[in-house]
Amino acid sequence: MVKASREFQVFAKPIGSICNLDCHYCYYLKKEHIYPKGESFRMPDDILEEYIVQHIEASPEQVIRFSWHGGEPTVLGLDYFRKVVELQRKHQPSNRRITNGMQTNGTLLDEDWCRFLAAEGFTVGISLDGPQEMHDQYRVTKNQKPTYEQTKRGYELMRQNKVLNEILCVVNSNNVQYPTQVYRFFKQIKAQYVTFLPMVEPQPDAENGVSHITVPADAWGVFLCDIFDEWRDQDVGRIKVQIFEEAARTAFNQEHSLCIFRPTCGDVPVIEHSGDFFSCDHFVDAEHKLGNIRETPLVELLESPEQRAFGQAKLETLPRYCRTCDVRAMCNGGCPKNRFFQTPDGEAGLNYLCAGYKRFFNHCRSFTAEVSAQWRRQTLKKQMPPEQAAGVQTSSKPGRNDPCPCGSGLKYKKCCLGK
């Protein structure tokens, strides 16, 4: 049995782009038009089972992870996902474990849904853009009605049923102006995991090349810095914020878990309702359709030269400006879909959000350096004889004239001390 050569995450779309909402910034609703008019977007049972079998066979890890996306997957109904779990159990190897994740707008969740999600151990991402007035700005129904009350109800039902959940907050030109208010709202509703997703919508004919909903790059950086400062002072260990954890991974020389910050990409493809395989959630188009799992096994599509080239292009097209950047290890140029600006010297391929990311990653470098230094001291202490370890401090900051723990080779006072 051939397995993929690396870990992967498939965004499975068993309902395609079909959704019960009409969020103004949704990039996936329009994907409906790549299929014939009148097509059913419900993944048929035979393709569903074939996908589950192939995913299990291709997964190289002890834990086999499924991710169910849309559109809105709950539109399929609870019985559909009961069938998903039954098929997974039918084909699950005896010595391996299967986990499931789902992304939802939360508006269709009820007690039955939440009991099921809790019992089956689903991790659920729920889209919530902050307090009511901010959430309802762009997240609306097909009739342009607000959705906050339904979403908040779904979130509370998950909490009551102890469903492991994560809030996904789209940061746009409106809520980016209120970082503290947004973050404190999430604290108020007892969120434990929060991901901030910057809204970027290219619009070539616009003055700045983006739509009016798009988050301004500088404001994105300020937003992250303001929230980081409060999180660092009050909430470390209490709330997990994905981008802060990604920044901290560099302190331990760990690979990024988030694809947009890895040097290469291509490990998060899409399987559409029809079994079609696309290179990435943001590149579901004719050019990036590499095949169909009914004709080509999933593992072959994952390992195909075309998919490899797609992922490698992220690194190969990185501008010189990015290659020499102080925070390259934290960013690696960001998501290719947002690399449509020019560098100061006129080279193509700069991420639209560069200024914001650069501001934030420089802002948090002293924190990550301190975390790294403390971890190294603790590691060293464990390796020493007890009589030597007693004299090693494990929690103090480096001295002004000590080598900077970020590894730059400069003294701490000349590098990260003031950042």
Side-chain angles (χ1 to χ4, degrees), residues 246 256 258-263 314 330-332 357 361:
E246 289 297 320
H256 284 291
L258 190 59
C259 62
I260 65 172
F261 295 138
R262 295 175 190 161
K314 179 182 179 181
M330 291 180 166
C331 174
N332 285 304
Y357 279 131
F361 286 131

Side-chain angles (χ1 to χ4, degrees), residues 21-39:
L21 301 189
D22 191 21
C23 301
H24 293 182
Y25 50 61
C26 183
Y27 63 90
Y28 212 79
L29 286 174
K30 65 187 73 171
K31 302 303 179 182
E32 178 181 355
H33 303 301
I34 68 176
Y35 290 98
K37 189 174 182 180
E39 174 160 339

Side-chain angles (χ1 to χ4, degrees), residues 94-165:
S94 59
N95 61 340
R96 301 173 74 190
R97 186 162 66 93
I98 290 177
T99 64
N100 286 284
M102 177 188 288
Q103 177 58 36
T104 178
N105 58 46
T107 60
L108 300 178
L109 295 179
D110 57 18
E111 286 284 355
D112 288 342
W113 261 112
C114 291
R115 281 194 291 266
F116 166 81
L117 294 170
E120 299 299 339
F122 273 63
T123 300
V124 180
I126 184 167
S127 299
L128 187 58
D129 291 351
Q132 184 166 5
E133 64 275 14
M134 299 181 199
H135 178 89
D136 286 341
Q137 182 84 15
Y138 300 122
R139 298 193 63 83
V140 295
T141 67
K142 299 295 185 184
N143 295 323
Q144 303 302 296
K145 300 295 184 183
T147 63
Y148 174 84
E149 293 294 344
Q150 301 98 302
T151 300
K152 184 66 162 30
R153 178 177 178 274
Y155 170 74
E156 293 298 344
L157 283 171
M158 285 200 294
R159 288 195 66 245
Q160 292 165 19
N161 285 275
K162 296 181 169 39
V163 178
L164 183 61
N165 65 84

Side-chain angles (χ1 to χ4, degrees), residues 3 30 32 92 104 109 127 156 212 226 258 281 311 318 339 360 369 390:
K3 296 189 181 300
K30 65 187 73 171
E32 178 181 355
Q92 179 179 355
T104 178
L109 295 179
S127 299
E156 293 298 344
H212 72 281
D226 285 357
L258 190 59
D281 190 49
L318 193 66
R339 284 162 55 170
F360 167 66

Side-chain angles (χ1 to χ4, degrees), residues 289-405:
K289 178 185 170 183
L290 304 190
N292 188 291
I293 61 169
R294 291 172 298 178
E295 297 142 9
T296 307
L298 175 62
V299 68
E300 292 185 21
L301 293 165
L302 287 164
E303 299 290 332
S304 67
E306 294 85 358
Q307 185 67 1
R308 290 286 193 176
F310 171 82
Q312 194 65 23
K314 179 182 179 181
L315 175 61
E316 294 175 352
T317 60
L318 193 66
R320 289 186 300 274
Y321 181 80
C322 297
R323 293 176 188 270
T324 59
C325 179
D326 290 344
V327 294
R328 176 183 171 179
M330 291 180 166
C331 174
N332 285 304
C335 184
K337 78 178 180 67
N338 293 335
R339 284 162 55 170
F340 53 85
F341 262 35
Q342 290 188 336
T343 66
D345 57 1
E347 188 177 3
L350 182 67
N351 195 304
Y352 163 79
L353 295 168
C354 174
Y357 279 131
K358 203 165 188 177
R359 176 191 286 265
F360 167 66
F361 286 131
N362 273 307
H363 182 78
C364 72
R365 278 178 76 188
S366 61
F367 173 81
T368 59
E370 184 176 341
V371 168
S372 176
Q374 184 172 337
W375 175 73
R376 289 173 186 172
R377 287 192 292 271
Q378 289 172 336
T379 302
L380 179 63
K381 185 174 182 179
K382 290 177 183 178
Q383 297 171 348
M384 287 181 172
E387 62 274 12
Q388 295 182 23
V392 177
Q393 295 182 353
T394 58
S395 60
S396 62
K397 295 182 180 180
R400 289 173 53 84
N401 292 309
D402 288 341
C404 187

